[in-house]
Amino acid sequence: MGQTTIKDVARRAGVSFQTVSLVLNHPQKVARTTRETIETAMRDLDFVPSLAARSLRKKPSRSIACVFAPAPEPAADGGRPGETADHGHVLRTFGTVTDRQGYTLVHRCRRADDPDGPGRIAGLVSEARVDGLVVFAEDRDDPLIGLLQAKRCPFVVFGLEVPGTHYVALAERDAVHGAVRHLIAAGSRSICLLAGDARRPAAATERFRGYRDALAEAGLPLRDALVVTCDGTAAGGYRAARALLEAGPGARPDAVVAASDRVAFGALRALHEGGVRVPAEIRVVGFDNLSQGAYAVPSLTSVDVPVLDMVRSAFATLVELIEGTRAPDDLAQTLFPARLVVRESSAPAAP
């Protein structure tokens, strides 16, 4: 039998789950007779309030934590292997949104070699140092997610679809699907997927699906040699593009979809050094739409991620969980569409 929730209590007491939340968090706002009815229902069902409710009854901290997944050391180009989003931009956006709503943002990075890290992160909520967490996970089996669920901490996963959790994520499959269709419309027929490494397997799988499906819809073959893995940095993109050029003109792609703008910048450098004209000979599309892309030569076509909308959604959901206006099992799961920003690097061939 599953754990009793506030919705179970609400049904037993004949009230809304928002009223049950008020009893847990602000009992003085509920009429005495209604409160007594709800408290009786709690006793009958052996209901145990979550850590979030208990900490809120003590004193809310008005703080939330953004917790980033374990990451390797920065590479020589300043990026991190496998990093496909501009985490600095995301964090700054969270800071702006939380500040406007009167919350303080706490930033935590976990170390991959620290087995006690998830426990310390969960302790931020149980000790009432923060009211809730935004978890940047790369793997659906992240142990922190399971621990937070077991402790009934309020949290939202950012950037990854994790069944059974509240999350906001990018529609990765559709993003790559749209980029490949754009290249096909521009005249490309041999498109390389320059993928990041396997640190984000779920996202990588969705991106590959978008690539594969777009090729199939256009009647183009899926060639294993054109699905290339690199380490997700500019240096990795440079090395991968050099390897593609060394394969010879007949085996070269006529377009590249890169895992990130950083990877695309490295590829552009390699193509330039190899005497390959972009976009006349090889078109290039990046991912994340970093501001530097508009100033690359040629300017970089890129998939734009709606970071502000995603951050606002994640924060709104987390506040609902913290304040008890959303039941923990009333899952908020939102996929955001991307937008392709077309620039010079993917221009169609001149007539």
Side-chain angles (χ1 to χ4, degrees):
M1 184 175 179
Q3 193 170 30
T4 303
T5 69
I6 63 172
K7 282 192 170 182
D8 297 323
V9 174
R11 283 192 290 269
R12 182 65 170 256
V15 298
S16 68
F17 71 82
Q18 290 93 338
T19 303
V20 177
S21 295
L22 279 176
V23 169
L24 291 170
N25 303 325
H26 306 288
Q28 71 280 4
K29 295 183 179 181
V30 181
R32 181 178 60 83
T33 54
T34 302
R35 187 171 67 247
E36 289 174 350
T37 299
I38 292 171
E39 288 171 347
T40 298
M42 289 179 181
R43 287 193 296 272
D44 292 344
L45 295 173
D46 293 325
F47 175 73
V48 178
S50 68
L51 284 170
R54 292 201 299 270
S55 65
L56 281 167
R57 289 181 70 177
K58 293 175 183 176
K59 184 180 180 181
S61 67
R62 299 290 294 180
S63 297
I64 68 167
C66 281
V67 183
F68 285 86
E73 292 301 312
D77 65 1
R80 294 183 186 274
E83 185 178 59
T84 58
D86 186 349
H87 285 180
H89 175 49
V90 174
L91 190 60
R92 288 191 298 273
T93 305
F94 262 108
T96 299
V97 170
T98 53
D99 185 62
R100 287 176 178 171
Q101 299 299 321
Y103 276 76
T104 298
L105 182 67
V106 177
H107 177 208
R108 288 288 183 271
C109 283
R110 293 179 284 151
R111 297 201 327 265
D113 60 351
D114 181 9
D116 298 324
R120 280 197 294 272
I121 295 298
L124 293 174
V125 177
S126 60
E127 295 164 10
R129 294 164 61 190
V130 301
D131 298 329
L133 306 162
V134 178
V135 178
F136 291 74
E138 294 178 339
D139 191 337
R140 288 172 177 158
D141 296 325
D142 189 324
L144 176 60
I145 292 176
L147 183 60
L148 293 175
Q149 289 176 315
K151 290 182 173 291
R152 303 185 70 193
C153 298
F155 74 98
V156 176
V157 176
F158 190 93
L160 184 66
E161 298 175 67
V162 181
T165 72
H166 306 273
Y167 64 73
V168 297
L170 183 71
E172 306 271 6
R173 181 265 178 199
D174 294 346
V176 172
H177 185 271
V180 174
R181 287 188 60 185
H182 161 73
L183 290 169
I184 293 170
S188 296
R189 293 296 179 268
S190 180
I191 301 169
C192 171
L193 179 64
L194 198 53
D197 68 5
R199 286 176 54 81
R200 302 177 68 233
T205 298
E206 288 302 298
R207 290 190 182 191
F208 175 76
R209 279 207 315 124
Y211 169 75
R212 179 199 63 197
D213 293 350
L215 292 180
E217 289 166 11
L220 297 175
L222 176 63
R223 295 164 53 192
D224 291 342
L226 293 183
V227 180
V228 179
T229 298
C230 69
D231 67 7
T233 65
Y238 176 87
R239 290 190 295 269
R242 284 290 298 268
L244 288 171
L245 295 182
E246 291 169 1
R252 289 180 184 177
D254 57 15
V256 170
V257 177
S260 69
D261 282 357
R262 291 188 180 92
V263 171
F265 294 151
L268 285 174
R269 175 66 183 231
L271 296 176
H272 173 73
E273 290 181 357
V276 176
R277 294 171 297 151
V278 177
E281 296 177 80
I282 296 181
R283 299 181 179 91
V284 178
V285 173
F287 210 103
D288 295 333
N289 195 29
L290 301 183
S291 59
Q292 300 96 308
Y295 301 97
V297 180
S299 58
L300 180 64
T301 294
S302 186
V303 174
D304 184 65
V305 179
V307 171
L308 180 58
D309 291 340
M310 293 171 67
V311 167
R312 284 173 172 165
S313 177
F315 178 75
T317 297
L318 186 57
V319 169
E320 290 175 349
L321 294 171
I322 290 169
E323 295 183 349
T325 56
R326 175 180 291 273
D329 57 352
D330 180 17
L331 296 179
Q333 300 177 331
T334 308
L335 283 180
F336 283 80
R339 176 177 66 97
L340 188 68
V341 178
V342 179
R343 299 191 180 98
E344 296 167 343
S345 69
S346 66

